[in-house]
Amino acid sequence: MSIIPQLIANSIIAGAIYTLVALGFNLIFGTTKFFNLAHGVLVPVGGYTAFFFSELLGLNIYLSIVIGIIAAGLLGYLMDKGIYKALRKRKASNMVLLIASLGIFTAIQAIIAILFTSQFQTFSGNVGEQKIYTILGAVITQTQLIILISGILIMFGLAILLNKTLFGKSVKAISDDEEVSKIIGIHTNKIIGYVFFIGSAIAGLAGILVGFDTGLEPTMGMGLLLKGVIASIIGGVGNLYGGVLGAFLLGFVENFGIWKLSGEWKDAIAFMLLIVFLIFRPQGIFKK
């Protein structure tokens, strides 16, 4: 049996996971213009919150998932209100914001490791019965199918939110020029806070879905953040559709790149793809 259908399926699933991370990251970056490294730690925050309520407290799995998503969103919102807002008020440079976000990432990751240990954790149950499907010779699990559907739905949901609502127009106005947005009466800090909540909630959902698919560990956020950032850069930083295209392109290049190589080459292949884009097309596939 040919391995190509399975490689295609694996590439699509990897692309869907990177999409969830890249969408939230791109949304925040497009509005605030800084690389929020703390976005990565919200992935395990969502996963471990759902794990805590479902596995340790015995709460309904669906309710635990909702709590995990909201917890990640609220933490992202509090990061903005408690730290980033104060730094923006003091006209802090993007480098200062970047270092602050790295500090937040490190602190929260350490807290997760202290609370849940560094041991690998898995969900004992799954959302419904875990089914396995065979599609054109490729095997895909029910969880992976949910990951793919979630990525597509969130992409279209964000597109509608940004293009068809007053909130979306406010986000675009802040992205173009925050000072002018203040002059015309947009409550910029309020809108940015909502953007952090939405982007962080998406990252939390990514952590929960990855937890169901492969399991949880405190350091999982950094790897997914790097892949999400790479997908955002090669697709076009700040461009919603570019991030999605970049995520799936990265997924295909990684999985087909290790077809004849060891799996340890996957990260190296991802960074080689990034370097190629930085040299020959630094603006990415799509401009912002």
Side-chain angles (χ1 to χ4, degrees):
M1 185 177 68
S2 175
I3 194 175
I4 292 180
Q6 190 61 53
L7 284 173
I8 293 174
N10 292 345
S11 301
I12 292 172
I13 298 307
I17 294 172
Y18 301 157
T19 291
L20 289 172
V21 180
L23 282 173
F25 177 83
N26 256 350
L27 178 64
I28 293 172
F29 178 86
T31 309
T32 61
K33 302 295 188 303
F34 90 97
F35 272 59
N36 177 30
L37 295 181
H39 186 74
V41 82
L42 295 166
V43 173
V45 165
Y48 274 100
T49 301
F51 176 83
F52 174 77
F53 281 97
S54 65
E55 300 296 318
L56 303 182
L57 297 186
L59 211 61
N60 177 272
I61 185 62
Y62 296 102
L63 182 58
S64 299
I65 291 172
V66 172
I67 293 173
I69 294 170
I70 293 174
L74 283 176
L75 183 56
Y77 180 84
L78 292 175
M79 285 179 193
D80 176 59
K81 292 302 179 185
I83 299 173
Y84 300 144
K85 180 181 175 182
L87 292 174
R88 288 197 304 270
K89 188 180 292 185
R90 290 169 172 75
K91 306 295 182 182
S93 67
N94 283 348
M95 180 57 70
V96 172
L97 289 165
L98 179 70
I99 297 301
S101 68
L102 179 59
I104 295 170
F105 180 101
T106 305
I108 295 177
Q109 181 175 277
I111 291 171
I112 293 173
I114 291 170
L115 293 176
F116 295 96
T117 76
S118 297
Q119 302 266 331
F120 196 76
Q121 306 279 5
T122 58
F123 288 91
S124 60
N126 216 318
V127 183
E129 183 184 351
Q130 176 71 323
K131 298 178 181 178
I132 297 177
Y133 304 95
T134 302
I135 303 173
L136 299 176
V139 177
I140 182 173
T141 66
Q142 179 177 271
T143 300
Q144 292 171 337
L145 190 61
I146 292 173
I147 290 172
L148 177 60
I149 294 171
S150 298
I152 295 171
L153 290 178
I154 290 174
M155 180 192 72
F156 283 112
L158 283 179
I160 293 171
L161 180 67
L162 294 176
N163 294 314
K164 302 295 183 182
T165 67
L166 186 60
F167 171 78
K169 293 178 181 178
S170 299
V171 170
K172 289 184 176 182
I174 295 170
S175 177
D176 288 336
D177 195 314
E178 185 177 348
E179 293 304 319
V180 173
S181 300
K182 291 178 181 177
I183 293 171
I184 63 175
I186 296 176
H187 196 320
T188 57
N189 285 323
K190 184 177 180 180
I191 296 296
I192 290 173
Y194 291 156
V195 165
F196 266 90
F197 178 85
I198 295 170
S200 301
I202 295 172
L205 173 62
I208 294 169
L209 292 175
V210 170
F212 278 115
D213 186 34
T214 59
L216 296 167
E217 56 183 338
T219 58
M220 64 188 287
M222 180 55 78
L224 288 173
L225 172 68
L226 291 175
K227 297 301 175 64
V229 171
I230 291 173
S232 299
I233 292 173
I234 66 179
V237 178
N239 187 296
L240 183 69
Y241 307 108
V244 175
L245 182 58
F248 281 99
L249 175 60
L250 177 60
F252 272 89
V253 171
E254 275 188 346
N255 282 278
F256 276 87
I258 62 169
W259 184 3
K260 302 293 185 178
L261 299 173
S262 170
E264 283 77 13
W265 280 90
K266 181 178 283 190
D267 290 342
I269 290 170
F271 280 100
M272 283 190 283
L273 178 65
L274 173 63
I275 290 170
V276 169
F277 268 87
L278 290 176
I279 294 173
F280 296 103
R281 192 172 176 83
Q283 73 271 31
I285 297 173
F286 296 120
K287 293 182 180 179
K288 183 177 179 305

